[in-house]
Amino acid sequence: MTIQFNTDKTISGEERQEAYFTSQIKEGLDRFSSHITRVEVHLKDENGKKDGFNDISCLLEARMEGRKPLAVNTKGNSTKEAVNSAIDKMTNAMNKIIGKLQEH
């Protein structure tokens, strides 16, 4: 499972932060790794450099073998909060999809 990060110019793409989030995503989606080929993470600050509430947006897109990509979008007060929320949302969506596949 390959993880690709994309950030807007207001979010620093520090290597440490990217490594941390990569490990969080791999850990959170590990049980689906046989179905996922690539995960794309899009982080952006909705308000730019201004302070705001729930202004960090995280779009998490999972590319699955033989299926259309699955995307979830969340917002948070920090990148950590937004990414963790997106991981939870993606896990729930993947559980539903994999459950339906196993029923058939």
Side-chain angles (χ1 to χ4, degrees):
M1 173 171 49
T2 304
I3 299 175
Q4 178 183 341
F5 269 84
N6 302 294
T7 61
D8 70 1
K9 61 184 176 184
T10 59
I11 295 180
S12 64
E14 295 178 9
E15 195 170 306
R16 291 180 314 205
Q17 191 176 19
E18 190 172 316
Y20 170 76
F21 290 132
T22 298
S23 68
Q24 291 293 103
I25 292 167
K26 280 186 178 181
E27 183 180 312
L29 300 178
D30 185 52
R31 65 180 161 200
F32 309 113
S33 63
S34 63
H35 299 282
I36 300 173
T37 58
R38 184 174 74 191
V39 175
E40 289 189 29
V41 183
H42 300 273
L43 290 170
K44 70 178 182 176
D45 190 335
E46 301 278 325
N47 293 339
K49 294 193 184 262
K50 295 184 281 184
D51 288 337
F53 180 71
N54 276 346
D55 64 337
I56 306 294
S57 172
C58 178
L59 173 70
L60 201 61
E61 183 178 330
R63 308 270 176 153
M64 299 172 61
E65 291 180 346
R67 300 189 59 83
K68 291 182 179 180
L70 176 65
V72 297
N73 194 8
T74 60
K75 291 186 179 182
N77 291 321
S78 67
T79 53
K80 183 176 182 179
E81 185 179 310
V83 170
N84 286 335
S85 179
I87 293 169
D88 291 343
K89 209 172 187 181
M90 181 62 76
T91 301
N92 290 336
M94 292 293 292
N95 277 329
K96 288 179 186 177
I97 289 173
I98 301 303
K100 287 180 182 179
L101 289 175
Q102 290 175 349
E103 286 178 8
H104 293 287

